[in-house]
């Protein structure tokens, strides 16, 4: 089945360029010209990823993402003419999965979208071949993008699932931050420490709210590892 991408941008030329590039890559596309229309279409639940312009009129991309994340964890790639780190970090804290600055290369945009889709829907499985990783009260099924704490679902973004999957594949190992960053964000993608910290903070908060307060441990000066994931 073709991946279905929603493109939300107020510039019809940019929507057309993105749509052509994605269709040539074998994907299906739909378009929206403003935040209100984008939210209405996103609410249908038919999309695998949303390309979201940050500088939309009336309701900007951050507002759209904030509203969307109340009930929807569809991966979001921000597209913007601004290159302010504060905007990038805030976008990640709201649940964005990646960030591309205009002007952009359609080829790079397609590559980033493919990478997000791979992380969100077809992650690696554990060594026993069952596809489900479990530590204490926490269990994930990366291929189905499912996370459970004590059997209750926890909604994660693609980046958060990528971090969790990478750590759970390496129980009892301390993963250096550069290795974690390369595995989750890509070797050739520059990601600031603040961005990684934002995703780790969001992930810890979601798991703690679900009752798993010690899921991820920071070993200062060394790296990150999975905790025992005891029930709160």
């Amino acid at each position: 089945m073709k991946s279905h991408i929603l493109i939300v941008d107020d510039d019809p030329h940019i929507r057309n360029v993105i749509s052509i590039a994605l269709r040539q890559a074998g994907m299906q596309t739909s378009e929206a010209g403003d935040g209100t229309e984008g939210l209405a279409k996103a609410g249908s639940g038919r999309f695998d990823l949303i390309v979201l312009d940050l500088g939309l009129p009336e309701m900007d991309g951050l507002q759209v993402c904030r509203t969307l994340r109340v009930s929807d964890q569809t991966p979001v790639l921000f597209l913007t003419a601004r290159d302010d780190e504060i905007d990038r970090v805030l976008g990640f804290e709201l649940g964005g999965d990646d960030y591309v600055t205009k002007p952009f290369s359609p080829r790079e945009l397609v590559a980033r979208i493919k990478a997000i889709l791979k992380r969100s829907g077809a992650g690696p499985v554990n060594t026993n071949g069952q596809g489900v990783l479990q530590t204490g009260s926490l269990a994930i099924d990366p291929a189905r993008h499912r996370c459970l704490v004590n059997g209750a679902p926890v909604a994660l973004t693609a980046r958060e699932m990528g971090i969790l999957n990478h750590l759970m594949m390496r129980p009892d190992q301390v993963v250096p931050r550069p290795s974690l960053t390369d595995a989750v964000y890509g070797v050739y993608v520059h990601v600031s420490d603040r961005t990684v910290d934002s995703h780790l903070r969001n992930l810890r908060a979601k798991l703690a709210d679900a009752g798993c307060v010690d899921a991820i441990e920071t070993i200062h000066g060394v790296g990150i590892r999975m905790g025992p994931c005891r029930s709160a």
Side-chain angles (χ1 to χ4, degrees):
M1 178 179 286
K2 292 183 178 181
S3 296
H4 194 174
I5 313 299
L6 175 62
I7 305 164
V8 186
D9 195 298
D10 60 321
D11 187 329
H13 172 69
I14 290 179
R15 295 200 306 270
N16 187 53
V17 168
I18 296 173
S19 185
I20 290 173
L22 291 176
R23 289 200 300 268
Q24 288 177 341
M27 304 182 201
Q28 180 182 356
T29 64
S30 294
E31 301 178 14
D34 57 52
T36 301
E37 183 184 7
L39 278 175
K41 289 190 174 182
S44 69
R46 298 182 294 113
F47 300 100
D48 300 292
L49 182 142
I50 300 171
V51 176
L52 179 60
D53 180 28
L54 197 62
L56 295 169
E58 298 183 12
M59 179 185 292
D60 67 21
L62 293 177
Q63 292 175 294
V64 172
C65 188
R66 183 183 292 110
T67 303
L68 184 70
R69 283 294 178 254
V70 172
S71 59
D72 192 317
Q73 296 299 317
T74 301
V76 172
L77 182 148
F78 284 114
L79 187 66
T80 178
R82 301 190 302 221
D83 192 21
D84 192 318
E85 185 181 14
I86 294 176
D87 288 333
R88 294 199 300 274
V89 172
L90 182 56
F92 287 132
E93 288 180 344
L94 291 175
D97 293 279
D98 208 344
Y99 198 106
V100 173
T101 304
K102 302 175 184 176
F104 59 90
S105 159
R107 179 178 296 179
E108 178 189 359
L109 182 66
V110 170
R112 289 186 179 232
I113 288 172
K114 286 181 176 179
I116 296 173
L117 293 173
K118 182 177 180 179
R119 285 192 298 268
S120 64
V125 299
N126 60 347
T127 54
N128 64 20
Q130 296 177 3
V132 177
L133 301 169
Q134 185 158 2
T135 301
S137 61
L138 172 65
I140 64 170
D141 184 346
R144 295 177 175 82
H145 195 78
R146 296 187 65 202
C147 174
L148 302 173
V149 174
N150 292 318
V154 179
L156 301 181
T157 67
R159 294 290 193 194
E160 293 161 356
M161 178 63 78
I163 291 171
L164 200 53
N165 180 59
H166 190 74
L167 294 175
M168 291 182 73
M169 289 279 287
R170 294 155 180 80
D172 302 321
Q173 293 184 24
V174 180
V175 179
R177 287 179 65 100
S179 298
L180 178 64
T181 301
D182 288 348
V184 176
Y185 300 87
V187 176
Y188 301 107
V189 178
H190 172 71
V191 180
S192 70
D193 287 341
R194 291 182 62 185
T195 295
V196 179
D197 288 340
S198 294
H199 282 138
L200 285 168
R201 183 167 57 250
N202 289 347
L203 180 56
R204 283 189 177 104
K206 288 181 179 181
L207 296 176
D209 288 345
C212 185
V213 297
D214 56 0
I216 298 175
E217 299 177 342
T218 296
I219 311 301
H220 294 289
V222 184
I224 312 295
R225 72 179 176 195
M226 286 301 303
C229 301
R230 294 181 292 257
S231 298

